[in-house]
């Protein structure tokens, strides 16, 4: 609602909130060896959600999602991980349900919700390895962007992310880590602690 901003203009769908009610379908194929911190295997998740006024929604739109993750153990506890995600939304999409770029998972280095548009596509490659005792390290690099129905993604607008982080194993049996990451992108960097 910054003076002169897009939300203040009142032309953005859902700029004052609203109700989104819908139904969806989800398909999952998961053969990872551990859902928290996989060493090998893959995850494929495809879903679609339909928001319609007949169910009480103030908006009519459809969202299609695809997530693919693949893990390879290249040496003992040296893991190469690929993650890709696509989210497409069509119709009268409210502001808060637009696709976003940047978070603590994919394309670290951008503030959450900094970029919004109808669609998102991105991928990231990550390499994880132990240092000593329960301490490990990770390096990552990714590419992606949000885009609209009439916009095009070019090399000049494509968002990149590179970074590194530390992992402290707090539960070896479950492979549960505490994470500290720093990701850097086109607009500077962000720290993440989880």
């Amino acid at each position: 609602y910054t003076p002169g901003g897009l939300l203040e203009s009142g032309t953005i769908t859902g700029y004052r909130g609203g109700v989104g009610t819908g139904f969806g379908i989800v398909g999952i194929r998961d053969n990872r060896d551990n859902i928290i911190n996989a060493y090998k295997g893959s995850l494929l998740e495809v879903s679609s959600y339909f928001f319609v006024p007949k169910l009480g929604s103030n908006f009519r739109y459809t969202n299609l999602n695809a997530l693919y993750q693949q893990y390879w153990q290249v040496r003992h506890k040296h893991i190469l991980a690929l993650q890709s995600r696509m989210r497409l939304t069509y119709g009268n999409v409210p502001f808060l349900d637009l696709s976003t770029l940047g978070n603590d998972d994919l394309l670290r280095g951008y503030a959450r919700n900094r970029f919004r548009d109808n669609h998102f596509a991105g991928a990231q490659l990550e390499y994880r390895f132990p240092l000593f005792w329960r301490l490990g390290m990770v390096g990552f690099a990714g590419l992606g962007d949000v885009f609209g129905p009439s916009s095009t993604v070019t090399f000049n607008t494509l968002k990149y992310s590179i970074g590194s982080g530390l992992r402290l194993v707090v539960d070896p049996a479950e492979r549960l880590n505490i994470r500290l990451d720093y990701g850097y992108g086109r607009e500077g960097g962000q720290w993440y602690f989880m």
Side-chain angles (χ1 to χ4, degrees):
Y1 297 108
T2 304
L6 287 174
L7 288 179
E8 186 203 35
S9 72
T11 60
I12 303 296
T13 301
Y15 78 103
R16 291 220 183 262
V19 175
T21 308
F23 65 95
I25 184 167
V26 179
I28 298 173
R29 184 189 59 81
D30 188 353
N31 65 4
R32 295 172 295 172
D33 64 333
N34 181 302
I35 62 170
I36 295 173
N37 186 358
Y39 285 0
K40 60 183 179 179
S42 64
L43 168 67
L44 173 63
E45 182 176 321
V46 180
S47 63
S48 186
Y49 297 92
F50 307 91
F51 295 84
V52 291
K54 287 184 178 180
L55 294 176
S57 181
N58 296 131
F59 314 100
R60 180 186 298 276
Y61 65 101
T62 301
N63 119 4
L64 307 167
N65 308 284
L67 168 70
Y68 180 72
Q69 298 174 352
Q70 179 73 51
Y71 302 89
W72 300 273
Q73 184 167 230
V74 293
R75 286 178 38 199
H76 181 66
K77 294 188 179 181
H78 285 245
I79 312 304
L80 183 63
L82 170 70
Q83 179 180 4
S84 59
R85 180 175 293 143
M86 184 173 61
R87 184 173 193 265
L88 309 172
T89 53
Y90 300 96
N92 189 25
V93 186
F95 178 75
L96 290 178
D97 284 343
L98 290 170
S99 299
T100 62
L101 178 149
N103 61 34
D104 58 9
D105 186 29
L106 186 64
L107 290 175
R108 285 164 268 184
Y110 298 91
R112 181 182 288 281
N113 301 322
R114 165 69 177 92
F115 297 97
R116 287 180 180 270
D117 214 322
N118 284 63
H119 314 302
F120 169 77
Q124 176 174 276
L125 198 58
E126 188 171 278
Y127 188 71
R128 307 172 189 158
F129 57 94
L131 292 174
F132 61 90
W133 185 59
R134 292 186 176 189
L135 194 62
M137 193 166 191
V138 62
F140 53 87
L143 285 171
D145 212 347
V146 292
F147 53 99
S150 62
S151 64
T152 58
V153 176
T154 67
F155 185 74
N156 293 332
T157 62
L158 193 64
K159 311 301 183 287
Y160 68 85
S161 170
I162 58 171
S164 186
L166 295 173
R167 302 289 184 267
L168 177 64
V169 180
V170 293
D171 185 348
E174 296 295 325
R175 299 185 201 160
L176 183 62
N177 294 329
I178 293 176
R179 300 169 38 184
L180 175 64
D181 291 343
Y182 181 77
Y184 182 83
R186 285 190 180 272
E187 298 186 335
Q190 298 280 323
W191 287 98
Y192 302 92
F193 179 72
M194 294 139 284

